[in-house]
Amino acid sequence: GEPLMWEFHWQEMKKLVDEGKAGNLYCRYNTNLSRIEWKGIHLFKDILPQVKDYIMCCSVDATEEVGEWIRTGLQWDRWLENFQTGLEVPGRRDRMKLDLTLTLPGLLDMKEYFMLSQRLDVEILSKLVYAFTPDKVISPLALPKQVLHPILDDLLRFMEPQATVKQKTLIDLLKDLKTRPTFQEQWPDGHRQGFEDGRAWMQQLAKWRGDGGPGKAVRLEDIYSKNSEVLRWWQS
């Protein structure tokens, strides 16, 4: 769930602070960071400075409009402001982490994501979106190898000369993707139908979400147009 949306969380953490017990706590959060204050209680001013230590795994899968497309409800400017507020807690800057689940749309934004990590000087925690069937076309492995590998090579050429230990998990994940079988290789007899089913589902999802309309002007096709081969594959 999303702990910062639980009234119980705020009430109990404030109670522990008021009773002088927060100094015994180590806290680990997984949060989309859409809320950092509740009824006058501020996470980074009233709660976390009082605990013994903490780590904030802040879920965001791409930057700006691509990130907003992947996570409905994300407001990029507000998210970034909330994250930067967390960086300002004295002595706790390195507690803030970018928690990445890599998707295919996100893959096309990874240079910007990498530069965000460097600009903020924060660590990336990286993992690949789960896909156990070939209809999960949100996965980078849905791409044919001849399309996927040039993208990975380009990203690695850009990132590796600049990377620090804080971007290591992203570098490792991109390299690991080159060794993994694509859907075409995992399901040689079923990947075509899986693609059709997955694309149909994504198109239906776009209608429900109102992609291309007010408040969500970016469509998946707009993101994929960043790479002509990806767009050609999607429209094939």
Side-chain angles (χ1 to χ4, degrees), residues 32 43 78 108 110 126 139 145 158 161 164 188 192-193 230:
N32 60 36
L43 182 70
R78 178 181 292 180
L108 301 183
M110 277 304 102
S126 307
S139 170
K145 182 181 287 187
F158 176 80
T164 72
R192 289 182 182 275
Q193 187 61 51
V230 174

Side-chain angles (χ1 to χ4, degrees), residues 65-81:
E65 60 187 13
V66 182
E68 291 179 345
W69 184 90
I70 295 171
R71 288 180 177 259
T72 299
L74 172 68
Q75 297 177 30
W76 173 252
D77 290 341
R78 178 181 292 180
W79 185 94
L80 188 57
E81 181 181 350

Side-chain angles (χ1 to χ4, degrees), residues 139-162:
S139 170
L141 293 172
L143 285 176
K145 182 181 287 187
Q146 65 269 25
V147 178
L148 174 62
H149 281 210
I151 296 172
L152 297 174
D153 290 338
D154 178 62
L155 288 173
L156 289 168
R157 279 193 300 269
F158 176 80
M159 293 179 187
E160 281 200 281
Q162 310 176 62

